[in-house]
Amino acid sequence: MGKPVTTGRRAGLDRDDMVCAALALIEHEGPAALTMRRLAAALDVTTTTIYWHVGSRDELITEVIRHQSERQAGRPITGTTARERVMCAARHVWDNALDNRAITSLAHQTGTTSLLEHPLEVALGRELESAGLTGEPAARALRAILSTVGGLLVLALRNESTVPEEHRAPALWAATHGELAPATIAALTRPGDYEDLFTSTVQAVIDAHVPGPRD
Amino acid sequence: MGKPVTTGRRAGLDRDDMVCAALALIEHEGPAALTMRRLAAALDVTTTTIYWHVGSRDELITEVIRHQSERQAGRPITGTTARERVMCAARHVWDNALDNRAITSLAHQTGTTSLLEHPLEVALGRELESAGLTGEPAARALRAILSTVGGLLVLALRNESTVPEEHRAPALWAATHGELAPATIAALTRPGDYEDLFTSTVQAVIDAHVPGPRD
DNA sequence: ACCTGAACACCGTTCAAGT
DNA sequence: ACCTGAACACCGTTCAAGT
């Protein structure tokens, strides 16, 4: 069953093979490695073959992100209080992004983050509604939590992305703005403990938007 | 005084002219318009001329961002309480980004946001120290506030950036995850009031990290 | 010192042509 | 229906050569 190993034509490739090969390419060689020519070489075909199965590079990326979003879904949401369950749903977004950094970076670069995290965002929205939020407050809470997690992810993923060293810590900073204490300067230049930062920051945003057990 | 209008050589251009022309190009035609060839055409020279004055495209971008960061500095910080002044410094980052969306997007794409906002980030750090924060708590507060503002900016700037419509609101969302209320779905698909979102979210993060007047 | 012309090694995309 | 070869219009970058 399934597709025959070798048909009478040339290659036995379909649209799904392209998407999977693209996903593997991204995971192994980074988001920048996803070019039509390199993907064609990996599949041992010409670039025009990709254009026949998939429409364009944008469509390929969309399909890759959607494919990845499907196998990200499914982690159970734990916790007894509403805030705990909302926090758990937010942490799923955080964990999945850190577990799949290459694809997350690609989604971030192409503005398809919401497509990648969509099932997890829906799960988060469901918990907010279960917490009693409806209408505009629910929408505001959802947007606030997701943007906070997204901002923290940009910070946490900045290190291994393509950021030249000179952009991080020019020596003149300490000279021109020397009034700052070393620890404060470190916050602007060096990486920190993003796990703690995630917990405290997201918890604050959740507490501000989601009614607690004794409100 | 200054440089002569026309020297005995070919063009009277220096490194600063390249950076200014690049900045104008970005503001008028968007971040994607900044290519070596288009910049050379705008200056009526060859691309190799740019490589002589500026090193590479990365160096050009760094110089453009640094140039822009200098004329962004200087808005006064108002407010009487510590939290008010910290909020004001955070709002400066927000306002400047929204007032210069093209350059902000470029900085975001190239991972040089901290370089662009650096003077404003230092001002924010100063207010945190004035509020009594030192060491790790100061660093955590700074990172938390900046990442929150950054995440909200990504959301607010997403609309006019190069995001295809299909990435935003596929019709199947409502079908496969139809349990969500319309307003909650809207939070995932349509833009909202980011001004209100900024105020409430950043205020929550500030309150969580900066001691208030009666703590 | 400052600038040009030509070339190299890449991109995404299209189009006519093959089987 | 599925795939190739060649071409087009772009990129960033380099190198020898001109004045």
Side-chain angles (χ1 to χ4, degrees):
Chain A
M1 53 187 181
K3 59 175 183 289
V5 178
T6 302
T7 114
R9 300 272 171 232
R10 300 283 160 148
L13 302 173
D14 61 355
R15 186 182 172 99
D16 221 61
D17 294 322
M18 316 261 142
V19 174
C20 289
L23 233 164
L25 193 62
I26 295 163
E27 282 173 339
H28 293 136
E29 305 189 44
L34 181 62
T35 72
M36 305 303 268
R37 283 176 160 86
R38 293 186 67 166
L39 177 60
L43 287 164
D44 210 52
V45 291
T46 326
T47 54
T48 37
T49 302
I50 304 174
Y51 282 90
W52 197 92
H53 287 291
V54 193
S56 65
R57 194 183 119 97
D58 277 353
E59 282 187 55
L60 174 67
I61 291 177
T62 300
E63 219 52 43
V64 165
I65 300 295
R66 199 194 314 274
H67 189 266
Q68 174 67 19
S69 83
E70 282 170 11
R71 56 179 196 185
Q72 275 187 173
R75 301 197 195 186
I77 291 187
T78 62
T80 53
T81 72
R83 284 179 173 175
E84 279 174 2
R85 296 176 65 84
V86 169
M87 178 52 126
C88 181
R91 187 174 286 277
H92 284 349
V93 177
W94 174 259
D95 288 340
N96 271 296
L98 291 182
D99 286 348
N100 308 282
R101 301 174 183 232
I103 295 108
T104 301
S105 291
L106 178 69
H108 182 252
Q109 289 166 19
T110 55
T112 55
T113 303
S114 62
L115 185 62
L116 175 62
E117 313 287 4
H118 182 251
L120 304 174
E121 293 181 356
V122 169
L124 176 58
R126 218 151 29 206
E127 291 306 322
L128 288 173
E129 294 185 348
S130 296
L133 290 175
T134 56
E136 195 54 31
R140 282 162 56 105
L142 187 47
R143 274 193 265 249
I145 294 169
L146 285 176
S147 70
T148 303
V149 175
L152 288 163
L153 278 174
V154 170
L155 221 139
L157 293 177
R158 182 139 60 196
N159 298 339
E160 56 252 56
S161 78
T162 50
V163 177
E165 309 80 20
E166 62 194 53
H167 291 342
R168 297 230 193 93
L172 68 136
W173 285 10
T176 55
H177 311 277
E179 316 101 85
L180 291 182
T184 313
I185 293 176
L188 295 173
T189 55
R190 287 205 298 272
D193 186 345
Y194 300 116
E195 186 57 36
D196 268 17
L197 198 63
F198 169 85
T199 306
S200 62
T201 307
V202 175
Q203 190 65 61
V205 174
I206 290 175
D207 290 350
H209 285 91
V210 181
R214 287 178 42 81
D215 263 46
Chain B
M1 56 188 179
K3 58 173 182 292
V5 178
T6 303
T7 115
R9 300 273 172 233
R10 298 287 160 141
L13 301 173
D14 61 355
R15 186 183 172 99
D16 221 62
D17 293 323
M18 316 260 142
V19 174
C20 288
L23 232 165
L25 192 63
I26 296 163
E27 284 175 337
H28 294 136
E29 305 190 43
L34 181 63
T35 72
M36 305 304 268
R37 283 175 160 86
R38 294 185 68 165
L39 178 59
L43 288 165
D44 209 52
V45 291
T46 327
T47 53
T48 37
T49 303
I50 303 174
Y51 281 91
W52 197 90
H53 287 291
V54 193
S56 65
R57 183 171 189 266
D58 277 351
E59 281 186 54
L60 175 66
I61 291 177
T62 301
E63 219 53 42
V64 165
I65 300 295
R66 200 195 311 274
H67 189 265
Q68 174 67 18
S69 83
E70 283 170 11
R71 57 179 194 185
Q72 273 188 174
R75 302 197 194 186
I77 291 185
T78 62
T80 54
T81 73
R83 283 179 174 175
E84 279 174 1
R85 295 177 64 84
V86 170
M87 179 50 126
C88 181
R91 187 173 285 278
H92 284 348
V93 177
W94 174 259
D95 288 340
N96 272 296
L98 291 182
D99 286 349
N100 308 282
R101 301 175 184 230
I103 295 109
T104 301
S105 291
L106 178 69
H108 183 252
Q109 289 166 18
T110 55
T112 55
T113 303
S114 62
L115 185 62
L116 175 62
E117 314 287 4
H118 181 251
L120 304 174
E121 294 181 355
V122 169
L124 177 58
R126 217 149 30 205
E127 291 306 322
L128 289 172
E129 293 186 349
S130 295
L133 290 175
T134 57
E136 195 55 31
R140 282 163 56 106
L142 187 48
R143 274 193 265 250
I145 295 170
L146 286 176
S147 71
T148 303
V149 174
L152 288 163
L153 278 174
V154 170
L155 221 138
L157 293 177
R158 180 140 59 196
N159 298 339
E160 56 252 58
S161 81
T162 50
V163 176
E165 309 79 20
E166 63 194 53
H167 290 345
R168 296 228 193 94
L172 68 135
W173 284 11
T176 53
H177 310 277
E179 316 101 84
L180 291 183
T184 314
I185 293 176
L188 294 174
T189 55
R190 287 205 298 273
D193 186 344
Y194 300 117
E195 185 56 36
D196 268 17
L197 199 63
F198 169 85
T199 306
S200 62
T201 308
V202 175
Q203 191 65 60
V205 174
I206 290 176
D207 290 350
H209 285 90
V210 181
R214 285 178 43 81
D215 261 48

